[in-house]
Amino acid sequence: MDADTQKVQLLITKHNTEKKALISILQDIQAEYNYLPQEALKIVSETLDVPLINIIGVATFYRSFSLQPRGKHLVTVCMGTACHVRGGPKILEEFERRLDIEAGETTKDSQFTLETVACLGCCAIGPVVVVDGNYYAQTTIRMVGPILKKYKKKEKKNEAH
Amino acid sequence: MINLKINNLEVKAEEGWTVLEAAKFYGLEIPTLCYNEGLSVYGGCRLCLVEIGEGPKSKLVSSCTYPVEEGLVVRTGTKRVIEARKMMIELMLSIAPNSKAIQDLASKFGVTQVRFKIRNEECILCGLCVRMCAEQMDGRAIGFQNRGYKRKISTPFDIKSEVCRLCGGCMYICPVCQLKCQGPDADTTVCNACLTMDPTCLDYYDELQCWMYDAGRCGTCVRETPEKSDSKEQTRNSKAKEKNV
């Protein structure tokens, strides 16, 4: 999926081509392509007249931006203190085993990206797993399979339509 | 004019000066690493820490970023300052033990051990190269990337930058990657070899300091100084320092 110059330009003009709207523009590009393509960043740099390195600095600073292509579904496993003592690492291990990837990687069919997070702020319901913004509370190893199945099924349903 | 006190010395400083500039103007030596006169201040290396205020309310600030204030009380050589400075040198040494600039600082301020894990990263993130590229060379080819322990300095996408002109300014100003410490025991973390050599590699000697001056200068001990005026200023600084002590 290569960056389309016109599409990126449109996203920039949506924010009045303002330098201060850099993060909003990057968020829009991320929403469009699921990651930040190199070409798109270069276009942003030229249009906004901001040095490319400054844009890279912003894009690498925030965890929500990714310079590598991400999968369709984002699986986030909490590794905060509370989730850690309640078995977060074991749940992460189970995800890694089932998806056959390490944390921070994307599956070969680019369906799932597995990530860890330091804390989600809802320690009472730990260990927490978030898939595409849906929270799964008090997760156990047994729940990992059904969670993944749900999203794989969704995929099939969409294809049938 | 702003009146302030540095080491019990009543000094006058112009508005807009930093504490470091005022101290330098009066010949008080404050060690620096990430500070360069031609670049904007960064306050990253924390070597120029000084203590401001009195009593329990005193605190440590980086003098290169702290502007002078009316009635400010600054102390540059308290136990707290010296210990904090030694700790900073120790931490930097654990990251980049091959740097001559940092080894020299360690010798100068009596850092004889490193209690941290040696990382050999060859970058202390002082930001000199980034500022050099942006401010003096108008290049903006390198910059900080990532966050926390992954923070690094690199070009966009880690490939050759389109705006880089290969001027070498970043390498020229780098305190780590250019000058390697070549002391005889440089393999160990703290070389300290400079202290046992004569003349040490910390100080430069000019001809006038030769103890055989009357017998005709042999010139064996003379080390060519990089900039003559620099060394004279250094001796003047050290003399001023002695007076203050």
Side-chain angles (χ1 to χ4, degrees):
Chain A
M1 214 191 321
D2 275 321
D4 184 354
T5 316
Q6 275 188 332
K7 214 182 233 175
V8 176
Q9 291 280 14
L10 200 76
L11 291 174
I12 297 168
T13 43
K14 215 173 93 184
H15 293 280
N16 299 328
T17 329
E18 276 183 280
K19 280 184 192 178
K20 64 182 177 188
L22 177 62
I23 289 178
S24 310
I25 292 167
L26 292 182
Q27 277 174 333
D28 282 0
I29 296 170
Q30 169 100 8
E32 182 71 37
Y33 294 103
N34 227 358
Y35 78 110
L36 299 174
Q38 290 192 7
E39 291 80 49
L41 294 180
K42 280 177 192 165
I43 294 162
V44 174
S45 159
E46 279 161 25
T47 321
L48 294 185
D49 195 24
V50 176
L52 182 60
I53 189 68
N54 293 5
I55 294 174
I56 301 282
V58 173
T60 52
F61 186 88
Y62 295 103
R63 276 285 300 274
S64 61
F65 295 129
S66 169
L67 292 176
Q68 261 75 49
R70 270 182 175 170
K72 208 161 199 177
H73 305 290
L74 180 63
V75 182
T76 320
V77 184
C78 184
M79 284 287 153
T81 317
C83 292
H84 189 275
V85 294
R86 286 187 183 184
K90 279 185 182 165
I91 288 157
L92 180 70
E93 236 170 65
E94 183 71 9
F95 269 110
E96 285 179 336
R97 196 179 64 77
R98 281 185 184 257
L99 293 172
D100 198 23
I101 47 169
E102 298 264 299
E105 291 176 359
T106 306
T107 50
K108 271 179 191 163
D109 56 355
S110 64
Q111 287 300 313
F112 290 97
T113 296
L114 185 62
E115 272 186 1
T116 61
V117 68
C119 187
L120 289 161
C122 50
C123 305
I125 58 166
V128 186
V129 171
V130 186
V131 187
D132 291 349
N134 297 319
Y135 283 67
Y136 294 91
Q138 275 138 11
T139 333
T140 54
I141 294 175
R142 281 189 178 177
M143 286 162 73
V144 170
I147 289 171
L148 285 176
K149 218 175 182 179
K150 210 171 155 188
Y151 287 89
K152 277 177 189 164
K153 246 188 194 169
K154 235 183 191 174
E155 202 54 46
K156 272 176 195 164
K157 254 187 201 170
N158 284 347
E159 272 170 22
H161 279 294
Chain B
M1 279 302 204
I2 291 167
N3 296 299
L4 69 154
K5 253 184 174 181
I6 304 180
N7 290 354
N8 280 330
L9 198 73
E10 298 272 359
V11 299
K12 280 192 168 90
E14 269 173 43
E15 213 171 322
W17 277 11
T18 60
V19 173
L20 180 69
E21 281 168 328
K24 265 198 171 168
F25 185 77
Y26 284 92
L28 294 163
E29 204 183 350
I30 297 174
T32 54
L33 191 78
C34 74
Y35 172 81
N36 190 297
E37 271 178 23
L39 304 172
S40 61
V41 290
Y42 183 62
C45 71
R46 315 309 285 179
L47 269 186
C48 64
L49 285 175
V50 292
E51 200 168 349
I52 58 162
E54 279 171 309
K57 275 192 172 177
S58 75
K59 57 179 180 179
L60 291 176
V61 296
S62 59
S63 60
C64 69
T65 53
Y66 204 87
V68 287
E69 289 167 3
E70 185 65 45
L72 190 71
V73 179
V74 181
R75 282 169 296 166
T76 66
T78 59
K79 198 183 168 202
R80 200 173 156 198
V81 170
I82 291 166
E83 273 177 6
R85 188 189 292 155
K86 275 172 102 170
M87 178 60 91
M88 290 324 295
I89 295 172
E90 202 175 323
L91 282 163
M92 283 193 282
L93 211 51
S94 75
I95 298 172
N98 290 326
S99 159
K100 177 161 161 51
I102 299 169
Q103 289 285 2
D104 283 0
L105 283 166
S107 297
K108 211 169 174 181
F109 294 100
V111 177
T112 49
Q113 56 167 350
V114 173
R115 293 161 288 183
F116 305 102
K117 203 179 151 197
I118 309 303
R119 289 194 274 160
N120 277 318
E121 272 177 29
E122 312 222 325
C123 181
I124 51 168
L125 299 171
C126 66
L128 274 173
C129 54
V130 176
R131 281 174 286 150
M132 182 77 169
C133 189
E135 292 164 21
Q136 289 293 338
M137 299 304 167
D138 203 23
R140 294 179 180 82
I142 48 172
F144 288 104
Q145 284 177 26
N146 294 327
R147 183 164 52 137
Y149 70 97
K150 283 183 181 167
R151 200 151 185 251
K152 60 167 185 179
I153 290 173
S154 185
T155 53
F157 315 118
D158 296 336
I159 50 171
K160 192 193 167 292
S161 170
E162 285 165 20
V163 287
C164 176
R165 302 188 303 268
L166 297 172
C167 69
C170 45
M171 286 198 288
Y172 165 77
I173 204 152
C174 180
V176 177
C177 68
Q178 201 62 340
L179 258 181
K180 294 267 181 277
C181 185
Q182 288 170 338
D185 295 320
D187 298 339
T188 56
T189 316
V190 191
C191 110
N192 276 161
C194 328
L195 295 180
T196 54
M197 285 196 295
D198 196 33
T200 73
C201 57
L202 294 178
D203 297 304
Y204 291 105
Y205 290 84
D206 60 10
E207 290 178 296
L208 289 175
Q209 286 172 304
C210 181
W211 63 281
M212 287 174 75
Y213 186 77
D214 294 330
R217 280 165 274 170
C218 64
T220 45
C221 68
V222 176
R223 296 259 224 97
E224 211 31 61
T225 53
E227 277 161 29
K228 276 269 156 68
S229 58
D230 232 303
S231 81
K232 267 174 201 158
E233 206 173 281
Q234 228 171 42
T235 37
R236 212 182 304 135
N237 278 354
S238 58
K239 268 174 197 164
K241 203 175 156 193
E242 274 167 28
K243 259 183 209 168
N244 284 320
V245 172

